[in-house]
Amino acid sequence: MADMETALKEIMEIDGCIGVALVDHTSGMALGTLGGGKELDLTVAAAGNTDVVRAKLRAMEMLNLSEKIEDILITLDSQYHMIRPLTSRSGKGLFLYVALRRDRANLAMARHQLRRIENDLDV
């Protein structure tokens, strides 16, 4: 099992990764971040993407969908933004937010790697 710091470092090694945050979707607070910088304020991204997660959960509830969100993908002109809710009991209410450069990232591989890292994460 990987701790948060190790998991964030592993995620930053995904091709094209710009930044990553582990976020509490109850408060919108980033519990840990790595990367980012001028082009990406991870604290702002964490808070903003909390609204995305909450909206999707509300929509699923209104639709009576009992499935779980595996991930949410937002495609921009030059970036992919991936949101992956944690599935472990200790990770309930948390999600990983990852920003990738489209010109460097392999989306299928990034999703696969993020799934593996999330499964090994012990929060």
Side-chain angles (χ1 to χ4, degrees):
M1 293 302 237
D3 64 5
M4 178 180 63
E5 185 177 332
T6 302
L8 295 180
K9 286 178 183 176
E10 282 185 54
I11 293 168
M12 283 301 296
E13 292 174 8
I14 295 173
D15 284 342
C17 188
I18 299 167
V20 58
L22 178 63
V23 184
D24 176 348
H25 83 65
T26 304
S27 67
M29 179 182 272
L31 305 178
T33 63
L34 203 55
K38 270 195 225 182
E39 62 185 55
L40 180 65
D41 183 332
L42 289 168
T43 304
V44 173
N49 283 292
T50 295
D51 292 336
V52 172
V53 172
R54 288 178 186 160
K56 188 59 192 171
L57 290 171
R58 272 193 310 275
M60 289 175 63
E61 185 178 333
M62 290 186 308
L63 293 167
N64 293 318
L65 296 175
S66 59
E67 297 184 50
K68 293 187 178 12
I69 299 171
E70 184 173 334
D71 57 34
I72 298 170
L73 174 65
I74 300 167
T75 305
L76 306 176
D77 291 338
S78 64
Q79 298 176 0
Y80 295 120
H81 290 212
M82 294 174 44
I83 299 168
R84 184 169 181 90
L86 272 57
T87 56
S88 68
R89 274 193 285 166
S90 63
K92 190 166 175 57
L94 304 178
F95 67 88
L96 287 166
Y97 165 76
V98 182
L100 303 163
R101 287 181 41 187
R102 275 184 76 166
D103 63 348
R104 299 227 7 243
N106 176 324
L107 188 55
M109 283 302 297
R111 288 182 74 215
H112 174 74
Q113 289 171 293
L114 190 57
R115 183 181 312 115
R116 179 188 52 76
I117 294 166
E118 185 261 329
N119 285 335
D120 290 342
L121 178 59
D122 185 29
V123 184

